[in-house]
Amino acid sequence: MSETKTSNFKWKLHGDGKRISTGEVVQPNERLTWPRTIGIGAQHIVAMFGATFLVPLLTGFSPATTLFFTGLGTILFILITSGRLPSYLGSSFALIAPIGAVTGYVSGGGAPIDSDKMALAQGGVISAGALLLLVGVLVHFAGAAWIDRIMPPIVTGAIVSLIGFNLAPSAWNNVKQAPVTATVTILSVLLITVLFKGIIGRLSILIGVLIGYATAVIRHEVNFEAISKADWVGFPSFHAPTFSPALLGLFLPVVLVLIAENVGHVKSVSAMTGQNLDDLTGRALIADGLSTMIAGSGGGSGTTTYAENIGVMAATRVYSTVAYIVAAIGALALSMLPKFGEIIATIPPGVLGGAATILYGMIGMLGVRIWVQNQVDFADPVNLNTAAVAMVMAIANYTLVVGDVKFEGIAMGSFGAIVMYHVMRAISNLRGTKLEQASPASAPAGTELHSEAYSKRHADQEIRAAQGRSDAQD
């Protein structure tokens, strides 16, 4: 990969600014003509919107406020990374579970979120952002290699996966309130994903939600009263946070997911643009941490880099960071249209449950994807048991109370995965038990027979057999 470290926030025109030749991409420090750049920015707004507005709807936070802070956070991200790393900072799904655990809010339940509990949840979001920022500073000066040592793929995959599956009951609580609408929403998303190519297929969640919303309107499940009462123009509402050390155990494990998402984003953009952007990993973490802290300070959800927008870049071959500034300004403008915010807030439980079923499942399967891409060997009992125990702890929502501090499923599973892996790996290496079969679940099959563990075991067995035959002949 080439290494381009110039920034200067001066985006030069790519070619004639109108077309991209075969095999070329528009680099982060380039742009197309302004009308085309604005059009690309609008696509980024649409791409991030489906997932971004679902987070506040599922947590009880204000959609307009959350949208405002995603726009502000994206501008900060581009500034801190010197205009070299294209990304939109949308709402993080990883924070839904700890926020819900604090507030007890049930989307579509009829009761608004408790103001005091919301403030405590905001304090938790800020604490997560602060830790992410600190990690970013360490990575910037010490490099990112230590992250890989602390969180190898088996651990990272388990943490990402368990967060998604821990949220499954929340999706079901919404689905069962309007199962017909939820089913239509799910089927719409799935069909659009496989029926359409390009940008339409990548917007399947947003389009599926619109179809589900139309279904809910037909079935008289939508209340429009708040829309008529809202102003046309106005600032989003802001809400001050409060802090409780007892809640840190709920929020800090989420940082592990945010780290994985940011590191993955840097590597993905590096691969697609042909530039070496590893030196920006620390800055990306700092920017996301700062953005999350600012969002939590005013009543917004925490932020993270968005895979949805990577999809837009891959489809358009435009990686220009100025397109993200356009998208951020557009998001800020939309957040200042109260009627628009109230329209979003009318989305009923059935639609939310349908979309959440897919999105939460996607988070869970992203963890599995990490295992597959890194060829994690589950014939190794350390890997197998680390994932097995961590997943059950999260799905069953194991809870541990120590004084005033409460550790629930995600915290238990996340920290458990890290501790279990490293302790078991150390003992396994010391005792030489990596080749032992842990349980019937680890019995070799198919390609596992060619894994390191079984290949070595087979070789050892052949040597012992040969020695036995030699002894018998003597």
Side-chain angles (χ1 to χ4, degrees):
M1 290 185 184
S2 63
E3 192 159 343
T4 306
K5 295 190 177 183
T6 57
S7 56
N8 302 323
F9 298 102
K10 295 179 181 178
W11 293 273
K12 62 182 180 181
L13 202 63
H14 178 87
D16 62 1
K18 297 179 180 180
R19 55 185 61 85
I20 307 170
S21 301
T22 303
E24 291 186 351
V25 299
V26 178
Q27 294 290 348
N29 64 336
E30 297 178 327
R31 66 172 176 85
L32 297 177
T33 60
W34 283 114
R36 287 173 174 79
T37 297
I38 292 172
I40 296 293
Q43 287 187 63
H44 281 301
I45 293 175
V46 174
M48 66 82 184
F49 202 79
T52 288
F53 75 73
L54 280 177
V55 174
L57 290 178
L58 293 169
T59 57
F61 283 26
S62 165
T65 305
T66 297
L67 191 61
F68 175 86
F69 284 113
T70 66
L72 182 60
T74 298
I75 291 174
L76 282 173
F77 188 94
I78 300 299
L79 290 174
I80 292 173
T81 58
S82 300
R84 293 174 52 210
L85 184 61
S87 177
Y88 193 92
L89 292 189
S91 301
S92 171
F93 273 79
L95 284 159
I96 292 177
I99 289 174
V102 173
T103 64
Y105 176 78
V106 178
S107 57
I113 189 170
D114 181 273
S115 179
D116 293 335
K117 291 180 179 179
M118 176 180 172
L120 286 170
Q122 290 175 235
V125 171
I126 293 172
S127 66
L131 180 56
L132 183 62
L133 188 153
L134 178 59
V135 171
V137 172
L138 293 175
V139 169
H140 184 69
F141 290 104
W146 62 276
I147 294 178
D148 295 330
R149 287 194 291 270
I150 294 175
M151 293 194 305
I154 177 60
V155 173
T156 304
I159 293 172
V160 173
S161 206
L162 66 82
I163 285 179
F165 294 136
N166 176 268
L167 292 167
S170 174
W172 170 238
N173 287 334
N174 280 319
V175 168
K176 63 186 179 184
Q177 293 185 55
V180 173
T181 301
T183 301
V184 170
T185 303
I186 293 171
L187 290 176
S188 297
V189 174
L190 297 180
L191 288 174
I192 290 167
T193 300
V194 295
L195 284 173
F196 298 97
K197 299 178 180 180
I199 191 65
I200 294 179
R202 296 183 186 280
L203 298 179
S204 58
I205 292 177
L206 177 61
I207 298 173
V209 165
L210 293 175
I211 294 173
Y213 188 85
T215 303
V217 171
I218 294 172
R219 294 178 59 82
H220 306 290
E221 297 170 357
V222 182
N223 186 345
F224 295 104
E225 291 181 9
I227 299 175
S228 59
K229 298 177 182 178
D231 295 329
W232 283 101
V233 180
F235 279 101
S237 59
F238 298 110
H239 194 271
T242 55
F243 296 89
S244 172
L247 302 177
L248 294 179
L250 291 171
F251 287 89
L252 296 187
V254 172
V255 174
L256 302 175
V257 180
L258 299 179
I259 291 171
E261 289 175 337
N262 277 274
V263 172
H265 182 83
V266 173
K267 292 184 181 298
S268 295
V269 176
S270 294
M272 291 187 292
T273 60
Q275 294 187 14
N276 185 353
L277 301 174
D278 287 349
D279 63 298
L280 293 177
T281 302
R283 290 196 196 186
L285 295 169
I286 291 170
D288 193 12
L290 180 60
S291 173
T292 295
M293 291 179 68
I294 293 173
S297 299
S301 305
T303 60
T304 189
T305 52
Y306 254 29
E308 288 84 348
N309 296 92
I310 287 182
V312 173
M313 290 190 289
T316 60
R317 291 186 291 155
V318 177
Y319 299 87
S320 173
T321 50
V322 72
Y324 281 97
I325 293 180
V326 171
I329 293 172
L332 290 171
L334 287 174
S335 72
M336 297 180 190
L337 301 176
K339 280 191 182 295
F340 178 77
E342 290 299 334
I343 291 173
I344 299 302
T346 62
I347 297 176
V351 179
L352 294 176
T357 297
I358 295 174
L359 287 170
Y360 295 167
M362 282 183 176
I363 295 173
M365 295 311 296
L366 281 175
V368 176
R369 183 182 178 187
I370 290 173
W371 291 335
V372 173
Q373 289 179 330
N374 290 276
Q375 299 180 324
V376 173
D377 183 9
F378 282 102
D380 183 340
V382 175
N383 291 340
L384 179 68
N385 284 287
T386 295
V389 177
M391 294 295 289
V392 171
M393 292 173 76
I395 294 171
N397 203 37
Y398 282 31
T399 303
L400 173 67
V401 179
V402 181
D404 294 331
V405 182
K406 188 177 183 181
F407 300 92
E408 295 195 346
I410 290 178
M412 296 281 287
S414 298
F415 287 126
I418 294 174
V419 173
M420 278 187 291
Y421 174 81
H422 288 288
V423 172
M424 290 180 66
R425 177 62 69 213
I427 296 174
S428 176
N429 289 338
L430 181 65
R431 296 286 298 154
T433 54
K434 181 179 180 181
L435 304 182
E436 293 300 320
Q437 186 169 304
S439 72
S442 64
T447 57
E448 285 184 344
L449 292 172
H450 302 289
S451 68
E452 176 191 350
Y454 287 99
S455 296
K456 188 174 186 301
R457 178 184 298 177
H458 181 70
D460 290 343
Q461 289 173 341
E462 287 293 325
I463 293 172
R464 287 194 296 270
Q467 289 176 341
R469 288 191 296 268
S470 177
D471 293 340
Q473 290 174 356
D474 293 339

